[in-house]
Amino acid sequence: WDKADPHMLTFLSMLLCKRSGLRYSARRALRDDWLRLRSSRTLSKDAKRKGLLDDLRSFRALNKFKRAVICTAVSMLPEHEIAESRELFMSLDADGDGMVSAHDLKKAGSLAVGFEDQVLSSYQVRQACGVNDKFESFVSTRAFGYTEFLAATIDPEVYLDNKVLHATFSCFDRDADGAISLSELSNGHLLGALSMEELHEIMAWCDLDGNMQIDFPEFEEM
């Protein structure tokens, strides 16, 4: 009991209090802050599971630059901001290899991904992993790594914090001149190898004023 939540211990002590005048009634127990907080966390986790496949599919549909930006931002978040997504990742990573694959999602079953009254199909799982080919095998479907899974499932409002965005921008703006250049995008530091076509697509998408650089307002707008 030394490591037990003190709020939980207080709740239990009020249920077991010998003095009837101080002991919790059923109605008072249901209004206890600790119990209500536990209930709200459970609802939050249930909601996260129900939207899981959509979140994974939407993330894989983003372009490579935006995925890299979100992954970088999420990697800077404190533990309490990522706790729910981390717990979900651990529950789905059945073989403990540090990845959540299509096979892991399928094996976890309908309830694990919020499909209470539906059968989870292999095609739905492949779609969540960014594959639309009904005939592609699970083996060739790219799994979600830890950071990518967190990036796909954490509420965007968390990493859209201004301080987090500035810190993330600085990771790409290597020379700290206030803009991300083509050479900074192409150095492979955070994005890996990109073709010239991919680089120009990113610039065309983000560079609103056409100066072949991405400044912070443009980065934030993205």
Side-chain angles (χ1 to χ4, degrees):
W1 291 95
D2 292 342
K3 297 181 180 180
D5 184 342
H7 299 291
M8 179 196 70
L9 294 177
T10 301
F11 175 69
L12 291 177
S13 68
M14 295 306 294
L15 290 176
L16 300 172
C17 183
K18 292 182 178 180
R19 296 178 60 181
S20 60
L22 297 177
R23 186 168 58 243
Y24 271 179
S25 65
R27 181 172 301 190
R28 178 63 186 87
L30 290 172
R31 295 202 306 269
D32 183 84
D33 288 342
W34 178 79
L35 192 63
R36 292 172 69 179
L37 180 59
R38 294 280 297 181
S39 298
S40 66
R41 286 177 177 171
T42 299
L43 289 172
S44 177
K45 290 177 183 176
D46 287 345
K48 188 177 288 290
R49 285 183 184 276
K50 287 180 180 178
L52 176 61
L53 294 187
D54 286 338
D55 288 342
L56 296 179
R57 181 170 55 250
S58 296
F59 185 79
R60 279 281 167 90
L62 300 175
N63 68 43
K64 193 172 185 178
F65 182 49
K66 192 163 186 177
R67 292 200 307 269
V69 167
I70 297 173
C71 284
T72 303
V74 164
S75 70
M76 300 179 183
L77 297 176
E79 173 62 27
H80 72 275
E81 298 283 15
I82 66 172
E84 285 186 10
S85 287
R86 178 173 57 79
E87 185 177 330
L88 182 55
F89 177 88
M90 298 292 286
S91 70
L92 293 171
D93 180 21
D95 55 8
D97 66 349
M99 307 287 284
V100 170
S101 65
H103 180 73
D104 288 328
L105 290 170
K106 180 63 175 173
K107 186 178 179 180
S110 300
L111 288 177
V113 297
F115 279 36
E116 296 177 0
D117 302 315
Q118 303 177 44
V119 175
L120 179 63
S121 72
S122 298
Y123 181 50
Q124 286 172 314
V125 170
R126 281 193 289 265
Q127 278 188 313
C129 294
V131 175
N132 292 314
D133 185 351
K134 292 182 179 181
F135 303 103
E136 183 167 339
S137 71
F138 276 9
V139 176
S140 59
T141 302
R142 185 162 57 92
F144 282 85
Y146 176 68
T147 302
E148 188 182 19
F149 184 89
L150 297 188
T153 56
I154 287 176
D155 184 351
E157 291 298 322
V158 175
Y159 57 75
L160 288 176
D161 174 81
N162 195 255
K163 289 183 179 179
V164 175
L165 284 181
H166 272 286
T168 304
F169 180 80
S170 296
C171 291
F172 289 88
D173 178 22
R174 302 294 298 282
D175 60 8
D177 67 348
I180 302 169
S181 65
L182 265 177
S183 63
E184 287 170 326
L185 287 177
S186 64
N187 69 10
H189 173 60
L190 292 169
L191 284 167
L194 292 174
S195 67
M196 285 304 297
E197 183 180 0
E198 288 176 313
L199 287 170
H200 283 287
E201 282 180 0
I202 291 171
M203 274 296 172
W205 182 56
C206 301
D207 178 25
L208 301 179
D209 59 11
N211 67 348
M212 294 303 289
Q213 291 185 322
I214 304 169
D215 57 30
F216 183 75
E218 291 169 331
F219 183 84
E220 190 175 29
E221 180 66 23
M222 174 194 71

